[in-house]
Amino acid sequence: LDAITGDSWPRSGDFAGRPEGWFSWWKATVIAGVAACAAFLFLPGIWLSLNSDHRTGTAQLSEVVLPDGTQVHLAPESAIGLDFDEKGRFVRLLKGDAFFEVERDESRPFRVFAAGVSVTVLGTAFEVDQFEGAVSVRVSHGRVKVEDQRTSQLLSESLGPGEALRVERDGSHARSAVLLDEIAQWRENRLIARDISIGEVIDALSHYHKGSVFVSESFAERRVTGLYNLDTPLETLEGIAASHGAEVERASPWFIWVKD
């Protein structure tokens, strides 16, 4: 009977031995958990809002003219922060992908910072993007110097037209050649893929679709080459899946599974 009436509950402590106290604690724990999840989801967006001067949303492209006349093309879901003064022109690529057409000014070098990697130029056109901690730089014309000071092995590479450099999170890097008309193809809502992973293609498509795509690790690691339309992400994804014997299942407009 004591167990039923609650008389056997402890009489000391903040709960005063009452089930109501336990319920209040449980409710507070749930509220704290919900608040933590909300913070996890929304804090990155708040941080971007506070630190960016220009940003784009899903499927949104933007052309920005900076105070020095430099033109910046922002890919969807990208953000930059500016720090211009008499000594230099500094741009922080906080998220995503950007193409720069830099106005020449020998007295004030133009520098782009992305995930610990810096790109320095005087006057040139080049693309910088981030993907899972890796930074890629592709030069359209002019020359740039790429540096990475995140690791003990300092990197300093010079790139010219048609040259590209990918710097991994661990500091390893690789140079490659790129066709000039393939640089920043997202400006025309196109992706030209040359032996890249399906995961990278899906990442590019995700910036044009408000939702989540779930794939197996083995499927994401498969390599593809082709020309893909970014402005029709679901149709493009279905085409990639079909060519690899997989199936796209839409549980809702926001949740998509690829079954291989």
Side-chain angles (χ1 to χ4, degrees), residues 10-26:
R11 295 297 180 179
S12 62
D14 294 338
F15 294 158
R18 293 174 299 168
E20 291 83 354
W22 175 87
F23 178 75
S24 298
W25 171 86
W26 177 84

Side-chain angles (χ1 to χ4, degrees), residues 15 18 21 25 43 55 61 101-102 104 114 124 149 151-152 190 197 200 210 212 226 242 256:
F15 294 158
R18 293 174 299 168
W25 171 86
L43 277 181
R55 60 185 296 193
L61 299 174
E101 296 179 277
V102 179
R104 188 176 184 85
T124 186
Q149 299 180 348
T151 63
S152 58
R190 295 194 302 172
S197 70
E200 290 179 88
K210 291 185 177 181
S212 299
I256 299 172

Side-chain angles (χ1 to χ4, degrees), residues 17 35 59 79 93 101 145 153 157 164 168 185 192 208 212 214:
L93 179 60
E101 296 179 277
K145 181 171 70 172
Q153 297 180 342
E157 294 277 343
E168 302 295 343
Q185 275 290 307
I192 298 177
Y208 293 77
S212 299
F214 301 92

Side-chain angles (χ1 to χ4, degrees), residues 159-215:
L159 301 178
E163 294 182 322
L165 181 71
R166 181 182 174 98
V167 185
E168 302 295 343
R169 187 193 298 269
D170 62 3
S172 61
H173 59 280
R175 298 176 68 114
S176 62
V178 60
L179 296 178
L180 297 181
D181 59 359
E182 293 184 6
I183 296 175
Q185 275 290 307
W186 45 261
R187 290 177 293 170
E188 300 178 13
N189 288 323
R190 295 194 302 172
L191 171 66
I192 298 177
R194 294 189 182 277
D195 190 32
I196 66 174
S197 70
I198 289 180
E200 290 179 88
V201 176
I202 291 177
D203 180 72
L205 294 173
S206 69
H207 302 309
Y208 293 77
H209 173 69
K210 291 185 177 181
S212 299
V213 178
F214 301 92
V215 300

Side-chain angles (χ1 to χ4, degrees), residues 101-158:
E101 296 179 277
V102 179
E103 191 71 20
R104 188 176 184 85
D105 185 345
E106 295 186 3
S107 65
R108 295 194 305 162
F110 190 98
R111 301 184 72 183
V112 177
F113 297 89
V117 175
S118 69
V119 184
T120 304
V121 302
L122 291 176
T124 186
F126 61 100
E127 178 186 11
V128 183
D129 75 69
Q130 303 182 55
F131 178 73
E132 295 185 349
V135 176
S136 296
V137 181
R138 291 172 282 271
V139 180
S140 179
H141 64 76
R143 298 198 68 83
V144 306
K145 181 171 70 172
V146 182
E147 298 174 288
D148 180 12
Q149 299 180 348
R150 297 175 297 180
T151 63
S152 58
Q153 297 180 342
L154 299 184
L155 166 69
S156 181
E157 294 277 343
S158 178

Side-chain angles (χ1 to χ4, degrees), residues 204-245:
L205 294 173
S206 69
H207 302 309
Y208 293 77
H209 173 69
K210 291 185 177 181
S212 299
V213 178
F214 301 92
V215 300
S216 66
E217 183 176 350
S218 60
F219 183 79
E221 291 177 348
R222 297 184 189 182
R223 315 294 290 186
V224 294
T225 296
L227 173 62
Y228 302 105
N229 292 323
L230 296 173
D231 53 354
T232 55
L234 296 183
E235 290 79 358
T236 298
L237 180 60
E238 289 173 342
I240 294 174
S243 65
H244 287 267

Side-chain angles (χ1 to χ4, degrees), residues 46-123:
I46 296 174
W47 182 85
L48 277 180
S49 296
L50 293 176
N51 289 276
S52 63
D53 292 289
H54 303 280
R55 60 185 296 193
T56 54
T58 302
Q60 178 186 7
L61 299 174
S62 178
E63 297 183 21
V64 180
V65 178
L66 302 187
D68 65 334
T70 292
Q71 292 185 335
V72 182
H73 301 256
L74 289 178
E77 297 186 346
S78 301
I80 58 173
L82 307 179
D83 185 9
F84 279 39
D85 57 30
E86 295 179 354
K87 297 181 179 180
R89 300 170 289 170
F90 305 96
V91 176
R92 301 181 309 279
L93 179 60
L94 304 173
K95 180 183 180 183
D97 196 341
F99 180 79
F100 301 86
E101 296 179 277
V102 179
E103 191 71 20
R104 188 176 184 85
D105 185 345
E106 295 186 3
S107 65
R108 295 194 305 162
F110 190 98
R111 301 184 72 183
V112 177
F113 297 89
V117 175
S118 69
V119 184
T120 304
V121 302
L122 291 176

